[in-house]
Amino acid sequence: MLLDHANCELKAAQTAMGLIWKYGPEGGECPGTGALLNFTLMQKMSRLIREEMRHFEQVIALMDQRKITYEQLSASRYAAGMRKDVRTYEPARLIDVLIVGAIIEARSCERFYKLAPFLDEELQKFYLSLLKSESRHFQDYLALAKAVAAEPIQPRVAHFLAVDRELVLSEDAEFRFHSGVLASV
């Protein structure tokens, strides 16, 4: 669990960094979004990157204490499944990426809360300490999606929530932080 969590934190920071590079300055690949929105995106993603990297550092410290070796893992079925319906044209692509980010952060928040009671005291305290930032990340992603969109985002949110539901209720061959039901071996 810790190994996958470390990888998730690192990937979350990389995703936010990618958003800054792609969309931040001057609207990047999504012109017309406005300087204020571009600044807000860069500011929110910069904070998110710092927090995700801090979480990564905390997880690998826990791993080190427990003699768990860090290694990079491939993206989970969940993350890939969430991204498969992202539209390919702008600004729809940006809106979808932000909505997917929001849902992944919300799912992480839920998982931390649900797992905590079953963990040792140190891990329980750690996972509960992450709830506030994960919740804020969800809110930031969703607010940015609303700011970019010229129309209500609720239909896309509903679509990606349906994808999320399918992914978490379907079988997974391996345990991952965002895995669905583990298939019987």
Side-chain angles (χ1 to χ4, degrees), residues 40-54:
T40 302
L41 181 139
M42 290 188 295
Q43 187 177 45
K44 298 251 183 232
M45 292 300 106
S46 176
R47 181 177 183 183
L48 187 144
I49 292 162
R50 288 190 308 276
E51 289 176 345
E52 300 291 20
M53 289 306 298
R54 178 67 184 132

Side-chain angles (χ1 to χ4, degrees), residues 96-137:
D96 285 356
V97 167
L98 293 168
I99 291 169
V100 166
I103 293 170
I104 290 172
E105 293 290 339
R107 182 63 67 193
S108 295
C109 191
E110 175 199 58
R111 295 280 166 112
F112 294 155
Y113 179 76
K114 295 282 189 179
L115 278 171
F118 301 99
L119 303 173
D120 64 57
E121 188 177 335
E122 180 183 35
L123 287 179
Q124 182 179 42
K125 184 178 175 183
F126 173 64
Y127 278 106
L128 291 175
S129 77
L130 299 178
L131 295 177
K132 186 176 179 180
S133 61
E134 298 300 319
S135 176
R136 186 181 54 260
H137 298 168

Side-chain angles (χ1 to χ4, degrees), residues 28-174:
E29 294 190 21
C30 193
T33 53
L36 182 59
L37 177 59
N38 300 340
F39 176 77
T40 302
L41 181 139
M42 290 188 295
Q43 187 177 45
K44 298 251 183 232
M45 292 300 106
S46 176
R47 181 177 183 183
L48 187 144
I49 292 162
R50 288 190 308 276
E51 289 176 345
E52 300 291 20
M53 289 306 298
R54 178 67 184 132
H55 298 165
F56 173 74
E57 292 167 358
Q58 292 171 310
V59 175
I60 60 173
L62 287 166
M63 290 173 61
D64 186 49
Q65 290 171 6
R66 294 163 187 249
K67 309 291 185 235
I68 300 168
T69 304
Y70 176 80
E71 60 185 79
Q72 288 185 329
L73 299 177
S74 61
S76 69
R77 182 185 65 90
Y78 176 81
M82 287 298 292
R83 287 191 303 266
K84 75 176 174 50
D85 288 348
V86 168
R87 295 172 288 184
T88 58
Y89 54 93
E90 298 297 355
R93 182 183 192 293
L94 175 57
I95 293 164
D96 285 356
V97 167
L98 293 168
I99 291 169
V100 166
I103 293 170
I104 290 172
E105 293 290 339
R107 182 63 67 193
S108 295
C109 191
E110 175 199 58
R111 295 280 166 112
F112 294 155
Y113 179 76
K114 295 282 189 179
L115 278 171
F118 301 99
L119 303 173
D120 64 57
E121 188 177 335
E122 180 183 35
L123 287 179
Q124 182 179 42
K125 184 178 175 183
F126 173 64
Y127 278 106
L128 291 175
S129 77
L130 299 178
L131 295 177
K132 186 176 179 180
S133 61
E134 298 300 319
S135 176
R136 186 181 54 260
H137 298 168
F138 156 75
Q139 293 170 358
D140 287 347
Y141 271 121
L142 213 51
L144 286 167
K146 288 177 185 175
V148 171
E151 55 197 44
I153 63 169
Q154 191 52 39
R156 292 305 288 171
V157 171
H159 171 77
F160 284 110
L161 284 173
V163 171
D164 166 79
R165 185 177 196 285
E166 174 63 30
L167 290 166
V168 297
L169 293 177
S170 60
E171 285 191 348
D172 257 309
E174 60 186 342

